[in-house]
Amino acid sequence: MALFKLSINNRAYDADVERDTPLLWVLRDNLGLVGTKYGCGIAQCGACTVHLDGKAVRSCVLPVSAVGKAKVTTIEGLSEKGDHPVQKAWDEVDVAQCGYCQAGQIMTAAALLKEKPKPTDEEIVSTMSGNICRCGTYHRIREAVKVAASKTN
């Protein structure tokens, strides 16, 4: 075991875990941050998406030892009051059905809009295609990303 000092959601955490422990399990099992979901364990579904220095990454395959001094943002840290433009657009468009994939979808969309505030339809489809929604709400997801983009500077 090793002690890792992590910056998560603008707060310092210590985690005494094995070096190869996926960040997802450190977040959920060691730190109690359960908003990030386990979906597949092989970085194919996107349910575990978090931000590492603002970039969307799959936490299910990212060893905690690879985080280093990077800042991690989870769905819990995206906004204090759930009022990030993407979260507000998700509510406005009524995206969620079962809701399981939503944290990963929102984190992927937020990273996209941070990098490209006014993405094209093709950029939205391409970026969001790595996130699986078992309920098939893809049309509402795309619409919510467009709504969020229209409300950002």
Side-chain angles (χ1 to χ4, degrees), residues 55 110-117:
K55 303 285 183 192
L112 168 63
L113 294 179
K114 183 174 182 182
E115 184 177 320
K116 293 187 176 254

Side-chain angles (χ1 to χ4, degrees), residues 62-84:
L62 181 70
V64 68
S65 59
V67 173
K69 295 186 186 290
K71 293 182 181 199
V72 177
T73 305
T74 68
I75 190 71
E76 293 94 339
L78 190 59
S79 67
E80 283 187 35
K81 299 177 183 174
D83 59 356
H84 185 279

Side-chain angles (χ1 to χ4, degrees), residues 14-133:
D14 291 334
D16 190 13
V17 296
E18 298 292 335
R19 297 180 53 75
D20 62 349
T21 305
L23 178 61
L24 173 65
W25 300 120
V26 173
L27 294 170
R28 293 182 61 79
D29 294 347
N30 298 90
L31 305 178
L33 297 169
V34 297
T36 305
K37 305 297 182 202
Y38 172 79
C40 68
I42 57 173
Q44 295 299 302
C45 73
C48 68
T49 303
V50 298
H51 294 173
L52 195 64
D53 283 341
K55 303 285 183 192
V57 298
R58 305 295 200 246
S59 64
C60 72
V61 296
L62 181 70
V64 68
S65 59
V67 173
K69 295 186 186 290
K71 293 182 181 199
V72 177
T73 305
T74 68
I75 190 71
E76 293 94 339
L78 190 59
S79 67
E80 283 187 35
K81 299 177 183 174
D83 59 356
H84 185 279
V86 174
Q87 291 169 307
K88 291 171 82 172
W90 241 247
D91 285 342
E92 182 179 327
V93 177
D94 197 23
V95 171
Q97 192 161 322
C98 85
Y100 196 82
C101 71
Q102 297 309 296
Q105 299 275 5
I106 288 169
M107 295 304 286
T108 299
L112 168 63
L113 294 179
K114 183 174 182 182
E115 184 177 320
K116 293 187 176 254
K118 303 294 181 197
T120 65
D121 287 348
E122 293 78 24
E123 290 168 329
I124 294 169
V125 169
S126 175
T127 300
M128 300 306 294
S129 69
N131 290 69
I132 295 172
C133 174

